[in-house]
Amino acid sequence: MTNIIELFSTERLQFTIYLGIAVAVTVFVAILSFRRPEYFYKFFGSLNPILAVIIVSLLGLILFLFLLSRGWFAIYSPGNTTGLLVAAALAIPFAIAIILVDLKVVFPEDTNVLVPDALLFYPAMGFVVDIVFHVLPLTILLFILTSPPLNISFEKAILPCILVIALLEPIYQSVLGFSSPQPLWANIFIAANIFLINLTQLLLFRRYDFVSMYSFRLVYYLLWHIIWGYARLKLLF
């Protein structure tokens, strides 16, 4: 208990930023759950979306307590403008790529949540995805690999872990059939694009911090889901 209190004290800025993001995301979900609860059905099922996000936020807090105590990752590295700029720049080509595919095959009209709801929905779901598909499995895998009887060093374990975890979201979306029917080449491209997005995010997390990883997804969502999500309805339908 003393170690936890000390960690909160020494890393106050990092935990303040994390809690600020978590509170904002919870507020976004609370607003949308009253306006359009159907947005969350395919993600949370019958579980109350507000409760789901609170659980994810608390889970993330516990995971970061462990990761920061080991010195493996950071929530936010003070003065890290480079990570934010790199994340934003890297997100652009991924968004352009999927937009070009949409222009070719034309995804369904309801592919994206529309503005103004999109401004709340995508930052919230991006946070959930980064905790559930990145921070959680990465922490579990690293804990297993670096503990007895394996005792693999963090430096040797981290890259294989990143490669494996980058596969989780594309597999999840493929298995649950979130993607709509389209040509085989388009499905392969989408899966590869999602894998590379996750790989890039995890490398940003390793190189910089969680905020940089999350910022990448925010920029990608802004370009693909929000800006293009509005424009495609005018251009393609």
Side-chain angles (χ1 to χ4, degrees):
M1 185 65 181
T2 302
N3 291 337
I4 293 176
I5 294 172
E6 289 178 356
L7 188 59
F8 270 117
S9 177
T10 56
E11 303 295 348
R12 184 178 304 169
L13 175 62
Q14 296 203 66
F15 286 112
T16 299
I17 289 173
Y18 177 81
L19 291 173
I21 295 172
V23 169
V25 163
T26 304
V27 171
F28 293 169
V29 170
I31 294 171
L32 283 180
S33 67
F34 286 105
R35 282 173 49 83
R36 300 293 296 272
E38 65 271 18
Y39 288 153
F40 302 104
Y41 291 160
K42 68 179 180 180
F43 300 102
F44 302 134
S46 60
L47 182 63
N48 183 291
I50 302 173
L51 178 59
V53 171
I54 290 174
I55 292 172
V56 169
S57 299
L58 291 175
L59 175 63
L61 182 62
I62 295 169
L63 296 170
F64 275 119
L65 280 170
F66 174 77
L67 292 173
L68 266 65
S69 70
R70 295 291 181 97
W72 287 344
F73 292 93
I75 298 171
Y76 175 71
S77 301
N80 177 31
T81 55
T82 301
L84 300 178
L85 293 173
V86 170
L90 290 174
I92 294 172
F94 287 103
I96 292 174
I98 195 64
I99 288 170
L100 291 175
V101 174
D102 190 21
L103 287 170
K104 179 66 176 178
V105 303
V106 184
F107 299 131
E109 188 173 355
D110 62 351
T111 293
N112 301 307
V113 173
L114 300 181
V115 175
D117 293 344
L119 299 174
L120 303 179
F121 179 79
Y122 288 111
M125 294 312 300
F127 175 78
V128 170
V129 168
D130 280 340
I131 296 297
V132 173
F133 284 100
H134 296 153
V135 181
L136 174 59
L138 193 58
T139 304
I140 293 172
L141 265 182
L142 285 172
F143 175 76
I144 292 171
L145 294 176
T146 60
S147 301
L150 297 176
N151 286 321
I152 300 172
S153 69
F154 172 78
E155 289 72 20
K156 291 182 179 179
I158 184 60
L159 186 55
C161 286
I162 285 175
L163 290 172
V164 169
I165 292 165
L167 290 167
L168 295 181
E169 189 181 358
I171 291 172
Y172 172 79
Q173 294 211 28
S174 298
V175 169
L176 290 189
F178 278 30
S179 57
S180 59
Q182 56 245 337
L184 178 60
W185 70 266
N187 285 326
I188 293 172
F189 181 89
I190 292 167
N193 195 49
I194 296 172
F195 168 75
L196 291 174
I197 285 171
N198 281 266
L199 180 62
T200 302
Q201 280 197 281
L202 288 162
L203 291 173
L204 286 168
F205 189 23
R206 173 73 182 106
R207 176 66 179 83
Y208 299 106
D209 48 35
F210 174 79
V211 171
S212 297
M213 176 174 70
Y214 180 49
S215 296
F216 174 101
R217 192 167 286 262
L218 288 180
V219 173
Y220 176 78
Y221 281 174
L222 173 65
L223 297 174
W224 160 236
H225 286 301
I226 298 176
I227 295 177
W228 179 248
Y230 174 81
R232 70 189 300 271
L233 296 181
K234 306 295 183 181
L235 299 173
L236 304 180
F237 297 94

